[in-house]
Amino acid sequence: MLTALVTGGTSGIGAAFAEALARRGHALVLVARDAGRLEETAARLRSEHRVPVEVLAADLSDRADVDRVAARVEDPERPVDVLVNNAGFSVKTRFTDPDTTAHDRAFEVMCRAVLVLSCAAARAMTSRGSGWIINVSSTAGLITMGSYSAIKAYATAFTEALAVELAGSGVHVTALLPGWVRTEFHERAGITGSSIPSFMWLTPERVVQEALDDVARGKVISMPTRRYRTLGFILRHLPRPAVRRLSGMVASARQKERAGGS
């Protein structure tokens, strides 16, 4: 039985990964901040799928907690075969705001923790000659809209670089770049989605299913659905000034949406 460790595994895309992997018969290690929600999720998955589910309450903005999770990833007595770095959140703080706390926390959770956990997994998995690392990035990393875009651009580039380093090792690395997904993520960010065309919204279940199919095919970049693959191709080939103008338009629409919802 393979074991998968999923960060942010109690909601949204992380919960969909946990569900899909449990359905495939994988044992799970779920990581999240809310211990109560972790236990509830674990109990349901154990009952529905008859697989072992371990819980690890951790705040990935706390470096000591990240070290604890990394130690679990690298534990030779309890090997982790699949790592899903999914934990993340929206960053609404502007670059010009004097308080950089939100930027600091976002960097710790979505950059440094991804780096530390991926490297721990890479060390353990290469020693065994097999394993899968999935880092949940975003199509937001293809545009230039605030701290979140910059962070996700890093996550994608880091994953591709890690894939190059691990080529031929038996360890497969994939960056998942979803677009707009119906989860708590946007609700917590104050985004209702009214400015986004309905056909651009995806379910977390579809995103995860296509991602796992891409992982099985050995893809380094996974962009679920043809519409987002087309969008990604366009964004990669547009002149950078055009990408910045487009980013400004999206940012303006989002600000109006938040103002209307407040």
Side-chain angles (χ1 to χ4, degrees):
M1 178 182 288
L2 298 178
T3 297
L5 186 147
V6 184
T7 70
T10 58
S11 65
I13 292 174
F17 264 114
E19 184 78 30
L21 292 166
R23 193 181 305 118
R24 294 179 180 211
H26 289 42
L28 296 173
V29 182
L30 300 182
V31 179
R33 289 187 301 163
D34 188 329
R37 196 168 185 181
L38 272 173
E39 292 292 352
E40 290 174 8
T41 302
R44 180 182 60 79
L45 291 171
R46 292 184 194 111
S47 173
E48 292 180 4
H49 301 290
R50 304 298 178 186
V51 295
V53 183
E54 177 185 343
V55 297
L56 186 52
D59 181 349
L60 298 184
S61 68
D62 183 317
R63 295 192 175 190
D65 277 10
V66 173
D67 288 344
R68 284 197 299 111
V69 179
R72 177 63 185 88
V73 169
E74 214 167 351
D75 185 347
E77 301 300 321
R78 298 177 296 164
V80 169
D81 306 282
V82 182
L83 169 66
V84 182
N85 278 311
N86 164 77
F89 50 89
S90 177
V91 186
K92 294 183 283 186
T93 305
R94 296 168 63 89
F95 290 128
T96 51
D97 289 346
D99 185 356
T100 63
T101 302
H103 299 299
D104 294 339
R105 182 166 180 269
F107 175 84
E108 292 289 334
V109 174
M110 293 182 281
C111 291
R112 187 181 182 279
V114 170
L115 169 73
V116 172
L117 299 184
S118 294
C119 292
R123 288 189 294 272
M125 292 174 182
T126 53
S127 70
R128 300 192 300 269
S130 66
W132 295 264
I133 299 171
I134 305 169
N135 291 330
V136 179
S137 185
S138 174
T139 54
L142 302 177
I143 59 176
T144 54
M145 201 173 71
S147 191
Y148 188 77
S149 285
I151 283 169
K152 290 303 183 180
Y154 168 83
T156 301
F158 163 72
T159 304
E160 290 186 280
L162 183 61
V164 170
E165 182 173 320
L166 298 184
S169 68
V171 181
H172 303 277
V173 187
T174 300
L176 169 59
L177 277 64
W180 283 286
V181 185
R182 294 288 186 189
T183 68
E184 296 176 14
F185 177 94
H186 292 97
E187 294 174 13
R188 290 196 298 265
I191 301 168
T192 64
S194 60
S195 61
I196 310 303
S198 59
F199 69 88
M200 295 300 289
W201 286 97
L202 304 176
T203 65
E205 291 76 18
R206 180 171 184 181
V207 167
V208 167
Q209 181 58 57
E210 293 204 24
L212 291 175
D213 289 344
D214 284 344
V215 169
R217 288 192 286 265
K219 284 193 172 185
V220 175
I221 298 293
S222 173
M223 294 189 72
T225 75
R226 182 175 297 175
R227 76 200 75 159
Y228 276 107
R229 287 191 291 273
T230 300
L231 177 62
F233 179 86
I234 292 170
L235 289 172
R236 284 192 175 98
H237 290 82
L238 274 178
R240 296 306 293 174
V243 172
R244 291 192 293 272
R245 284 196 297 272
L246 177 63
S247 301
M249 293 167 60
V250 175
S252 178
R254 184 166 292 182
Q255 287 171 4
K256 290 178 182 177
E257 183 178 321
R258 283 174 175 151
S262 60

